[in-house]
Amino acid sequence: MLFSPNALRNGFLTLWLVVLVGCQTTTGPAGHSTAIKTAPAPSVASAADAPPTKTPRWRVPQRIDEPRTLWTRIRDGFLLDPAVVDNPRVDQQRLYFASQPRYFEITSKRAQRYLHYVVEELDKRDMPLELALLPFVESGYNPMAYSTSHAAGIWQFIPSTGQVFALRQDDWYDGRRDITASTTAALDYLSKLSDMFDGDWLLAVAAYNCGEGCVGRAVKRNQGLGLPADYWNLQLPRETMNYVPKLLALAQIINSPEQYGTVLPLLNDTPYFAQITIKRPLDLLKAAELASISADEIKYLNPAFKHRVATPAGPYQLLIPVAQAEQFSSALAQLPESERVSFTRYTVRRGDTLSQIARRHNLSVSMLRQANDMQGSLINIGQTLIVPHGPSTQLASANVPAKRTYTVKSGDSLYSIARRFNVEIKQLRAWNGVDTHLRPGQQLTLHMP
């Protein structure tokens, strides 16, 4: 599992943030190149002599006058080993984070959409709430994060591990980016790793980064040499050696932000989104319109859909902000049939062009581009395109023809002009009553969608 270089891709992020979060070139569990179904690692005892208590000694108690927020709830659920507070590897990572006061300001803007849901799911399973901070380490809580090893989503699953945990991936949908599905998969994986290492969460988190086989071999090697086999004494890949300390460093800062000069943005301990069941394809821009939210908001809540149109095989969940969920459900139920969009799929064949496919289905090239999130007209043999039928308002508006005048320049030909504007040569001829020869300065009329 990897922290993607694209995870914090906002233009105002500087190089320090990339260094802060870590190297991007290591493969992990969800980021590991080995098959997930490796032989179980040897059973080892936890580094602590006794199981962690519900109130770790290292956690600062909540002040009476402190407002109840999502951060305080997370702090209340911290359960990992308190003895690591003085570990130099944790100190080093904490200094990195604490020296960058804007880190939480930047990442919390994304995390606010998803963090409450992750905390709820961890609470249901009685898992340590430090694990809610893992997506900060992995992706900066950016669902569009994508690493050089092809890991994707806030939990950074690589394709093979995603498949093992039933995260469907095809041309239209990537379950690794699905907020709820990927969270379920990540917690399933972490629970499996915890069981594999006899409840030692530090070993489980390390294995989440480099794979259970990687950690299991390191444990076995130390046991064979008569050395301690806890996380702090294992020889692991460099990224994994820093991975657990990063998580614990974040936990320590969140546990006592004032001590480290950090201001945590206010995050309310309330759900951000509701899950609405949708039974047919839906234009995501239409969904945003029905909910009175921005196109960016609908995309960040539903990043698993690769195209502007959600086209699942059956009923699926669309995430809508809680405040707009009732409005959206009501508006969707009343949406006229004429504004609904149905789709078929077309596989590009040899010799096809986008304009030919559009004309064959009584669409404009612009409509076909919009439905498939295309900027140009390049298509490939075998590529599957969405072909809309019964277009929605947004798609229909793209089909209204508008006249455009083009002045012929030296070197122009009917072929070059037709190609530039994605129209047929015979259309150019029909619109302008011309045959073949053009002269510089001549005015041509184009009927563009």
Side-chain angles (χ1 to χ4, degrees):
M1 175 138 335
L2 298 182
F3 176 68
S4 165
N6 296 323
L8 304 174
R9 57 183 179 178
N10 295 327
F12 55 80
L13 282 180
T14 56
L15 183 59
W16 61 259
L17 193 50
V18 178
V19 174
L20 170 65
V21 181
C23 175
Q24 313 302 318
T25 57
T26 325
T27 53
H32 200 265
S33 56
T34 7
I36 193 72
K37 295 183 178 179
T38 55
S43 176
V44 296
S46 171
D49 293 331
T53 63
K54 277 292 183 179
T55 307
R57 294 186 301 276
W58 67 297
R59 185 169 61 77
V60 177
Q62 180 180 349
R63 298 192 310 265
I64 295 176
D65 61 342
E66 185 178 10
R68 181 72 180 177
T69 68
L70 188 54
W71 298 118
T72 55
R73 178 180 178 182
I74 291 171
R75 285 199 287 266
D76 286 345
F78 283 172
L79 295 177
L80 299 186
D81 187 357
V84 303
V85 68
D86 295 324
N87 186 282
R89 285 154 63 186
V90 178
D91 293 343
Q92 182 184 27
Q93 297 300 329
R94 190 181 61 244
L95 286 172
Y96 275 128
F97 285 112
S99 66
Q100 311 301 335
R102 294 198 64 205
Y103 175 80
F104 286 103
E105 174 190 342
I106 293 167
T107 56
S108 293
K109 289 180 179 179
R110 288 188 294 268
Q112 67 178 339
R113 295 185 176 95
Y114 323 118
L115 186 56
H116 181 274
Y117 177 81
V118 173
V119 169
E120 284 278 311
E121 295 304 301
L122 286 166
D123 254 348
K124 289 177 184 177
R125 301 178 185 225
D126 291 323
M127 296 171 72
L129 292 194
E130 286 96 336
L131 299 178
L133 308 180
L134 264 185
F136 280 110
V137 178
E138 287 291 341
S139 64
Y141 263 103
N142 182 356
M144 305 311 295
Y146 191 80
S147 78
T148 53
S149 64
H150 312 296
I154 64 172
W155 294 98
Q156 289 288 278
F157 278 95
I158 61 169
S160 58
T161 311
Q163 291 168 0
V164 169
F165 285 93
L167 296 176
R168 180 168 60 86
Q169 301 156 58
D170 55 36
D171 289 342
W172 314 103
Y173 169 89
D174 189 342
R176 298 175 301 158
R177 298 191 192 279
D178 188 306
I179 301 304
T180 58
S182 68
T183 296
T184 297
L187 302 196
D188 285 347
Y189 188 31
L190 285 163
S191 296
K192 172 187 174 183
L193 293 171
S194 175
D195 292 342
M196 185 177 295
F197 294 104
D198 290 345
D200 189 323
W201 282 107
L202 299 189
L203 291 179
V205 171
Y208 189 79
N209 178 253
C210 72
E212 61 263 43
C214 166
V215 174
R217 288 188 294 272
V219 168
K220 187 175 181 179
R221 180 170 56 248
N222 275 29
Q223 288 175 335
L225 295 172
L227 299 174
D230 61 288
Y231 169 77
W232 302 105
N233 287 283
L234 298 182
Q235 288 299 311
L236 297 165
R238 181 178 178 181
E239 217 23 52
T240 310
M241 297 286 278
N242 292 326
Y243 186 79
V244 172
K246 285 178 183 177
L247 177 68
L248 296 174
L250 283 172
Q252 290 179 2
I253 293 173
I254 290 169
N255 184 61
S256 188
E258 294 175 354
Q259 180 179 344
Y260 302 111
T262 299
V263 177
L264 298 177
L266 176 63
L267 294 181
N268 294 322
D269 187 16
T270 54
Y272 186 91
F273 60 76
Q275 301 180 60
I276 310 294
T277 300
I278 309 294
K279 297 182 178 179
R280 59 186 296 180
L282 182 64
D283 183 337
L284 292 178
L285 293 188
K286 171 59 72 175
E289 177 188 321
L290 297 178
S292 299
I293 59 177
S294 68
D296 282 346
E297 182 73 354
I298 199 76
K299 184 65 177 177
Y300 272 106
L301 284 174
N302 301 276
F305 299 112
K306 294 183 176 181
H307 300 280
R308 139 179 184 174
V309 179
T311 59
Y316 61 99
Q317 301 296 316
L318 201 67
L319 305 189
I320 300 293
V322 168
Q324 285 80 32
E326 186 174 345
Q327 170 188 326
F328 171 80
S329 296
S330 176
L332 182 63
Q334 299 174 41
L335 188 66
E337 195 64 32
S338 60
E339 294 188 36
R340 294 181 181 270
V341 183
S342 59
F343 296 86
T344 55
R345 298 179 181 183
Y346 178 82
T347 302
V348 176
R349 300 190 290 263
R350 185 179 300 278
D352 278 342
T353 66
L354 202 64
S355 59
Q356 290 171 342
I357 296 170
R359 187 170 64 254
R360 195 177 303 152
H361 293 91
N362 297 314
L363 300 171
S364 70
V365 171
S366 179
M367 286 177 67
L368 205 51
R369 280 200 195 116
Q370 286 187 29
N372 292 277
D373 281 344
M374 297 173 62
Q375 299 301 317
S377 298
L378 181 65
I379 53 177
N380 300 308
I381 297 172
Q383 179 180 351
T384 304
L385 299 175
I386 291 177
V387 179
H389 303 286
S392 66
T393 302
Q394 293 95 340
L395 289 176
S397 65
N399 201 30
V400 178
K403 287 185 179 181
R404 174 172 179 170
T405 300
Y406 177 76
T407 302
V408 177
K409 299 178 179 62
S410 178
D412 277 344
S413 66
L414 284 175
Y415 172 78
S416 65
I417 296 171
R419 184 176 181 181
R420 182 180 308 166
F421 293 100
N422 293 301
V423 297
E424 300 291 325
I425 293 177
K426 63 181 181 182
Q427 289 179 312
L428 270 179
R429 287 174 175 157
W431 292 336
N432 295 278
V434 296
D435 187 6
T436 302
H437 300 291
L438 301 176
R439 63 181 185 279
Q442 183 178 353
Q443 300 285 312
L444 296 181
T445 299
L446 297 92
H447 296 268
M448 303 297 297

